[in-house]
């Protein structure tokens, strides 16, 4: 009997490991407050959908359009996409380091500042002020901006944001085409999307630096440097890749679904 128990122990341990890793991943999702991020992105999306309704549906989308958009911007699906990407990117050691940092007093404060700023910058006047602040500093050697330049470069944040935007635009066009609201080849879609790259890059830089200057303004230089130092570690880089990969995948799915929904509503309107 004892021998049998000993033989089963390695199997029980092996079965427990994935559950433990999954639990730690849940902790990381919690300390990153991804549910809060997804809720903010949903509100951004619903606002953008109003522009789509006005620009492509002549404001005639009505309740059906609203219902479709609310289903498309599902916060739970966004969180799951990011969770899956983090799971792929972080090994056990990186996961523990990431949890330790973002559960710390500084990490908790950083996440709160990022989310508060992301919510605030949804307001057009706040976004304009943030962009203006960056424009005023962009040609200077302001120490805080120099720190942020290192932070952004270390995470390749501008190019990753641009790539996400281009991929999302392409998927939106695919959705329109698959819904018979756009009659162009994929090659033409790619050409049209690629032609927007430089304008998107310039717009992204202005928004990103304006947002970061606002979000981290309450931090001391030493606190910001601690965050930059963590971000440059293998664990920090893995978190960055996971976040961009997960949110990028979520945005592509959302953009395609929006394209299909627009096409559906355009077809229904024309009947």
């Amino acid at each position: 009997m004892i021998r049998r128990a000993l033989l089963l122990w390695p199997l029980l341990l092996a079965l427990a490991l994935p559950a433990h890793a999954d639990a730690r991943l849940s902790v990381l999702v919690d300390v990153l407050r991804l549910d809060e991020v997804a809720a903010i992105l949903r509100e951004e999306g619903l606002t953008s959908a109003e522009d789509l309704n006005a620009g492509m549906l002549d404001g005639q989308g009505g309740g059906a359009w609203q219902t479709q958009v609310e289903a498309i911007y599902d916060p739970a699906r966004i969180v799951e996409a990011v969770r899956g990407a983090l799971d792929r990117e972080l090994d056990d050691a990186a996961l523990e380091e990431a949890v330790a940092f973002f559960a710390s007093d500084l990490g908790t404060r950083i996440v709160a500042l990022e989310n508060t700023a992301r919510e605030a910058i949804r307001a057009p006047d706040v976004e304009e002020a943030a962009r203006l602040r960056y424009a005023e500093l962009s040609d200077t050697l302001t120490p805080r901006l120099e720190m942020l330049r290192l932070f952004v470069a270390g995470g390749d944040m501008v190019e990753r944001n641009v790539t996400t935007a281009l991929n999302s635009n392409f998927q939106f066009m695919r959705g329109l085409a698959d819904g018979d609201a756009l009659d162009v080849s994929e090659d033409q879609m790619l050409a049209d999307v690629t032609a927007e790259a430089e304008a998107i890059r310039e717009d992204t830089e202005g928004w990103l630096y304006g947002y970061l200057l606002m979000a981290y303004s309450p931090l001391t230089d030493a606190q910001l440097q601690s965050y930059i130092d963590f971000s440059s570690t293998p664990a920090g880089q893995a978190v960055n890749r996971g976040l961009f990969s997960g949110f990028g995948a979520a945005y592509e799915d959302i953009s395609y679904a929006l394209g299909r929904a627009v096409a559906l509503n355009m077809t229904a309107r024309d009947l």
Side-chain angles (χ1 to χ4, degrees), residues 2 23 30 40 72 83 90 94 130 134 152 156 172 190 237 247:
I2 293 175
D30 287 344
I40 294 170
I72 289 169
R83 180 192 177 97
L90 276 73
Y134 169 61
V152 168
D156 198 20
F172 179 74
L190 285 170
Q237 290 287 302
F247 282 117

Side-chain angles (χ1 to χ4, degrees), residues 3-17:
R3 182 174 178 79
R4 183 176 178 81
L6 289 174
L7 288 173
L8 285 174
W9 171 246
L11 175 60
L12 293 173
L13 179 61
L15 291 173
L17 286 175

Side-chain angles (χ1 to χ4, degrees), residues 14-64:
L15 291 173
L17 286 175
H20 172 73
D22 189 65
R24 296 304 286 167
L25 185 62
S26 294
V27 172
L28 180 60
V29 167
D30 287 344
V31 296
L32 289 173
R33 291 165 64 169
L34 292 184
D35 56 341
E36 186 176 302
V37 178
I40 294 170
L41 297 182
R42 172 183 169 85
E43 292 305 312
E44 291 178 359
L46 296 180
T47 299
S48 297
E50 293 175 7
D51 295 336
L52 279 178
N53 183 33
M56 301 190 72
L57 301 175
D58 298 327
Q60 301 301 306

